[in-house]
Amino acid sequence: MPQIIIADDHPMVRGALTLAVEAAFDQPEILECAHLGAVMQLLESIGAADLLLLDLRMPGVDGFEGLVRVRSQFPATPVVVISALEDPRLVREALALGAMGFIPKSTPRAEIVAALSLVAGGGTYRPDDLAMSAPPPDPKGQATDDDFLQRVLTLTPQQRRVLQLLGTGKLNKEIAYDLDIAETTVKAHVSSILHKLRVYSRTQAVVMAGRLHLDSFADVAEG
């Protein structure tokens, strides 16, 4: 009996997704959560789920922060992002962060069922209209790995540690506890990191740093 978690703060959305899950899976055990904290507690108790349908915006979630936390702490649980937002950039970013699919809430039920079946079989779902409308990356606006590495080198050792912990999906207060510093200090470090790396979000910084395998880099840089 597959265990499927539906995480969305709107009961009607959870109800609609439940119908799709029941059509896509054979006798699934459906577990519902209305906020990210409940998702993390549930995964702590069961270890892993066969699939998590995760709303991009709900209590306890700041953009892709929920996806990053789940993927870092429970990598055995495949995640499909559910969102009312239909932006090709969000699709690309979700998949880059390890999501197995991105399903807009406007998607017809039959297509959601097909998407869930695809993911259950090990595939990755991209909505055709958003995938086709996604503009190609602008090489002038994209930093190369070498360029980004040079920016990382401008970070202080403490800022590199903060960036590494961001990559594990930890919140500011958790990073503050791990490093034994004030949460306001963490926020200041994050702002400096975004400025120095010339990125607009924590998620973008984590994605770029992941491409450089920052864990091994940090050891060398501090040695």
Side-chain angles (χ1 to χ4, degrees), residues 38 60 68 70 73 100 107 121 143 145 153 169 183 193 204 206 210 217:
V68 171
V70 172
Q73 297 182 40
M100 297 296 292
T107 305
D145 286 352
L153 287 171
E183 187 174 350
I193 289 168
Q204 189 180 14
V206 169
F217 161 75

Side-chain angles (χ1 to χ4, degrees), residues 151 154-155 189-200:
R151 297 176 193 175
T154 67
L155 301 179
H189 281 319
V190 171
S191 296
S192 294
I193 289 168
L194 299 185
H195 176 72
K196 288 183 178 181
L197 299 186
R198 302 178 199 171
V199 295
Y200 61 86

Side-chain angles (χ1 to χ4, degrees), residues 66-215:
L67 174 60
V68 171
R69 290 188 67 188
V70 172
R71 292 297 301 145
S72 62
Q73 297 182 40
F74 304 99
T77 297
V79 182
V80 170
V81 171
I82 307 295
S83 179
L85 303 174
E86 301 186 19
D87 187 332
R89 293 170 298 181
L90 294 178
V91 177
R92 291 198 302 270
E93 195 160 1
L95 298 181
L97 289 169
M100 297 296 292
F102 185 104
I103 301 178
K105 291 183 179 180
S106 61
T107 305
R109 184 187 303 172
E111 188 173 341
I112 294 178
V113 173
L116 297 180
S117 298
L118 175 65
V119 171
T124 300
Y125 176 77
R126 302 172 180 82
D128 290 337
D129 53 343
L130 294 184
M132 292 180 65
S133 64
D138 178 6
K140 293 182 180 180
Q142 295 287 328
T144 65
D145 286 352
D146 287 343
D147 290 338
F148 193 75
L149 177 58
Q150 292 305 312
R151 297 176 193 175
V152 172
L153 287 171
T154 67
L155 301 179
T156 67
Q158 186 79 319
Q159 288 169 350
R160 288 198 296 272
R161 285 191 287 269
V162 170
L163 181 56
Q164 284 179 271
L165 291 172
L166 288 176
T168 67
K170 292 195 173 184
L171 302 175
N172 286 347
K173 62 181 179 181
E174 294 171 324
I175 295 174
Y177 178 82
D178 287 351
L179 299 181
D180 194 24
I181 57 178
E183 187 174 350
T184 53
T185 303
V186 175
K187 291 180 180 178
H189 281 319
V190 171
S191 296
S192 294
I193 289 168
L194 299 185
H195 176 72
K196 288 183 178 181
L197 299 186
R198 302 178 199 171
V199 295
Y200 61 86
S201 70
R202 296 157 62 112
T203 301
Q204 189 180 14
V206 169
V207 170
M208 292 297 294
R211 284 168 48 184
L212 297 177
H213 304 291
L214 186 61
D215 288 341

